[in-house]
Amino acid sequence: MKKIKSEKIDSLIHLFLELFEKKCLKKAVFSRPDATDEIKSVITPKKIAGNDILQLEIFSKDNKAYHINIKNDFYKECEQIFYSHSQINIISTLGDCQFMRSKGGRETIIGDSKIRDKLTGNSIDSLDYQSNNKEKKYILSGGEDFLKKLGISDENGRIHDKMQAKFRQINKFLEHIKSIEKYLPSDNLNIYDLCCGKSYLSFAVYHYFKYIKGISISMRCVDLKADVIEYCEGVAKRLGFDGMEFTCADINAYKMDAPVHLVISLHACDIATDIVLNKASENGARVILSTPCCHHELNHTINCDSLEFVTKHSMLRQKLCDALTDSLRLLKLEGEGYEVSALELIDPEDTPKNIILKAIKRDNINFEKIKKSREEYLLVRKFLLGEK
Ligand SMILES: C[S@@+](CC[C@H](N)C(=O)[O-])C[C@H]1O[C@@H](n2cnc3c(N)ncnc32)[C@H](O)[C@@H]1O
C-alpha cells in the first residue's frame, strides 16, 4: 500500500539521485522495512556494460539475499523503496545523512543540508563505480602469452586452478607498480628483480611496461638457482622478451648498473629481503617494492626484557618479530632518504606473506627527518637486541 506523499522523502530521493548522478554515492541502507519477511535492503551504485546502475540487495529473514539491478526509471523504482522503509542512511563522499520515521509518523532528516551545500561547491570528490565482476579490474586478463608460457593459464587464457592465487598476486603487484610509475622516467627504464625465482613478476612487469605502456625497458633478474635461471632464459627467448637478462648469482655479490629506477622483490627468504633493500638503497634506487617472506632473524636474536610478556608466547613472539622487522626495515630506509609505507599486497587468505614495503626516494632531502629516523633506528635496535 502506497504511503501518503511526503515532501521530506521526495527531497531525499532527489538528493540520493543527484549523489548517484554526480558519482558521490557510496551506498544507502534501508532498515525498519514495512515488509515483514525483510531484514533490510542496501542500494549500491555499480557499473554494468559501461553504464552506471543501482544495485538493490534485499536481505530476507530466510537468510537469503535477492539482487535487483535498477537500470532506468530510477525515480520510480527508488520511490517504492524509500517509501517502504522507516529508516534510511545515505553514505556518500560528501558526508552521510539519515532519515527516520517514528511510529507516530513524525519524519526527521539529519545531515542532508551539509551534503546539499557541498554538492553546489566547485570541487566534489567523485567515485569510479565498479563492476561486480572483479576479474575485469585486473591489469592482466590471463590470455597474455607470457602467462601461458609460464604455465599460469592454458591455451584459451583460462587460469589453471592451482595458479589462481599466483595470478591474483601478480595482478596486485602490477597495481602497486601502476601506483608508482609516476616516480619513474618515461622511457629507458632500468629495473631489477632480486631473488627472482621463476620470475613470474619480472615477466609481468616487463609485459606491463613494454607492451601495455609502450616503454623501453631493461629488466635484470637475479637468483641463486642455476636451473630456474636457465628455465627463465628459455621462456624469455621463446617470448622474444629481449630486454630481459637473467643472472645466476648471490645478490650479496651482484653489481648493479646505474641508474637504478626500480627494484622489486617478491618473497626473498628471511634476511635476503634485507640484502635486497640494502642493495637497492646503496645503488640509489628511485623506487623499491618488496614483499618480505619468512622472518626468522629477529625471532632468534630478540633480547628485550620489557617485551617478555609477548615474547614468552611463541606464536605472538613470531607475529611481533614480523611486524618489528618490517618496521625496522622501513625506518632504516627512511634514514636513507626514502618516503616509506607498508601496504597489503593480496588477500591474507591467499598467503600470510602479504605485506608490501614501498619506498620512494625523496626529491627534497629533509635532513632533519633523516637524522631523526637514523637515531630512532639505532635506539630501537639497541632496545630490541639488548645492546649496551
Ligand atoms: C621464495 S622464492 C621467491 C621467488 C620469486 N620471487 C617468486 O616470488 O616466485 C625465494 C628465492 O630467493 C632466492 N634467494 C635467496 N637468497 C638469495 C641470495 N642471497 N641471492 C640470490 N637469490 C637468493 C632463492 O633461490 C629463491 O629462488
Side-chain angles (χ1 to χ4, degrees):
M1 194 179 63
K2 181 110 191 273
K3 291 233 168 77
I4 305 162
K5 267 280 182 205
S6 151
E7 264 180 38
K8 283 207 166 87
I9 295 192
D10 288 347
S11 78
L12 193 65
I13 300 174
H14 282 294
L15 178 64
F16 170 80
L17 290 176
E18 192 175 349
L19 285 169
F20 169 53
E21 198 185 310
K22 295 198 168 149
K23 295 181 184 283
C24 300
L25 178 68
K26 286 187 179 167
K27 66 175 174 180
V29 182
F30 300 83
S31 342
R32 295 175 49 217
D34 292 351
T36 50
D37 54 350
E38 180 190 327
I39 300 171
K40 67 169 183 180
S41 288
V42 178
I43 293 186
T44 324
K46 296 274 173 195
K47 192 176 274 308
I48 288 191
N51 299 317
D52 292 340
I53 64 131
L54 290 171
Q55 187 168 82
L56 169 67
E57 252 182 312
I58 304 167
F59 296 89
S60 68
K61 286 193 178 151
D62 59 4
N63 274 335
K64 290 190 177 138
Y66 302 89
H67 291 84
I68 299 167
N69 288 338
I70 306 171
K71 297 179 182 162
N72 40 43
D73 284 337
F74 291 117
Y75 191 90
K76 206 170 125 231
E77 298 289 342
C78 287
E79 212 179 8
Q80 275 208 345
I81 306 155
F82 276 70
Y83 270 92
S84 58
H85 293 82
S86 294
Q87 181 174 336
I88 301 164
N89 291 75
I90 297 178
I91 295 123
S92 81
T93 59
L94 307 180
D96 304 343
C97 77
Q98 177 171 276
F99 165 85
M100 297 274 272
R101 188 188 303 107
S102 70
K103 284 198 176 126
R106 206 166 72 84
E107 294 177 338
T108 45
I109 306 185
I110 45 175
D112 56 330
S113 39
K114 271 194 188 154
I115 297 180
R116 281 199 179 84
D117 286 348
K118 287 190 185 164
L119 269 172
T120 53
N122 285 333
S123 68
I124 55 172
D125 192 5
S126 60
L127 298 164
D128 185 12
Y129 295 151
Q130 300 292 340
S131 136
N132 266 352
N133 185 351
K134 289 206 168 103
E135 280 178 32
K136 286 206 175 125
K137 285 195 285 167
Y138 286 158
I139 293 172
L140 303 174
S141 66
E144 292 80 2
D145 222 14
F146 80 90
L147 290 176
K148 294 178 188 171
K149 295 261 186 320
L150 288 171
I152 291 179
S153 59
D154 65 17
E155 266 317 299
N156 302 317
R158 202 192 75 83
I159 310 300
H160 294 297
D161 291 345
K162 60 179 192 323
M163 297 309 272
Q164 292 282 352
K166 196 74 193 168
F167 178 65
R168 284 194 292 274
Q169 191 183 57
I170 296 171
N171 268 299
K172 280 284 177 188
F173 207 99
L174 284 186
E175 278 169 29
H176 286 285
I177 295 274
K178 205 171 167 195
S179 77
I180 55 87
E181 66 191 16
K182 56 179 176 282
Y183 302 106
L184 304 177
S186 53
D187 213 358
N188 296 322
L189 284 179
N190 215 1
I191 303 182
Y192 288 84
D193 181 354
L194 302 182
C195 300
C196 60
K198 265 185 139 184
S199 303
Y200 297 113
L201 206 57
S202 321
F203 282 103
V205 171
Y206 186 85
H207 171 89
Y208 177 74
F209 282 114
K210 177 101 193 229
Y211 298 109
I212 300 182
K213 306 297 289 185
I215 294 176
S216 125
I217 160 177
S218 152
M219 176 98 224
R220 303 188 209 174
C221 314
V222 188
D223 200 283
L224 273 177
K225 292 182 187 148
D227 55 339
V228 286
I229 289 298
E230 199 184 324
Y231 164 82
C232 295
E233 275 173 340
V235 175
K237 200 164 175 197
R238 277 184 279 137
L239 285 164
F241 282 14
D242 49 13
M244 291 187 89
E245 185 187 292
F246 297 88
T247 307
C248 178
D250 186 326
I251 54 164
N252 253 319
Y254 181 73
K255 294 224 170 351
M256 296 165 103
D257 290 331
V260 178
H261 298 128
L262 171 64
V263 172
I264 57 171
S265 186
L266 181 65
H267 298 154
C269 336
D270 196 17
I271 58 163
T273 290
D274 300 290
I275 304 170
V276 169
L277 300 178
N278 286 346
K279 197 101 205 162
S281 172
E282 274 165 21
N283 282 278
R286 187 101 191 87
V287 182
I288 308 168
L289 290 177
S290 161
T291 292
C293 192
C294 40
H295 302 69
H296 300 304
E297 179 70 11
L298 190 60
N299 198 330
H300 295 146
T301 50
I302 192 165
N303 176 20
C304 177
D305 292 344
S306 316
L307 291 174
E308 222 235 298
F309 71 103
V310 185
T311 54
K312 68 182 177 187
H313 305 287
S314 62
M315 206 182 77
L316 298 176
R317 176 190 178 102
Q318 183 63 62
K319 282 186 187 295
L320 177 73
C321 290
D322 289 4
L324 287 170
T325 303
D326 288 337
S327 311
L328 273 165
R329 286 169 171 160
L330 292 177
L331 193 54
K332 185 166 183 294
L333 286 167
E334 232 172 16
E336 291 159 1
Y338 285 88
E339 197 78 58
V340 297
S341 48
L343 305 160
E344 188 168 77
L345 173 63
I346 195 161
D347 198 322
E349 274 180 26
D350 279 339
T351 168
K353 303 168 196 166
N354 70 334
I355 285 179
I356 183 160
L357 307 178
K358 176 164 154 179
I360 295 156
K361 193 88 181 168
R362 281 197 207 97
D363 279 335
N364 303 318
I365 299 170
N366 182 340
F367 290 105
E368 202 52 27
K369 191 160 183 199
I370 287 180
K371 185 168 168 273
K372 193 171 159 284
S373 301
R374 284 183 185 177
E375 286 167 0
E376 203 177 344
Y377 174 78
L378 293 173
L379 270 176
V380 179
R381 256 192 73 120
K382 273 190 182 168
F383 171 72
L384 293 175
L385 301 179
E387 291 170 349
K388 293 288 164 230

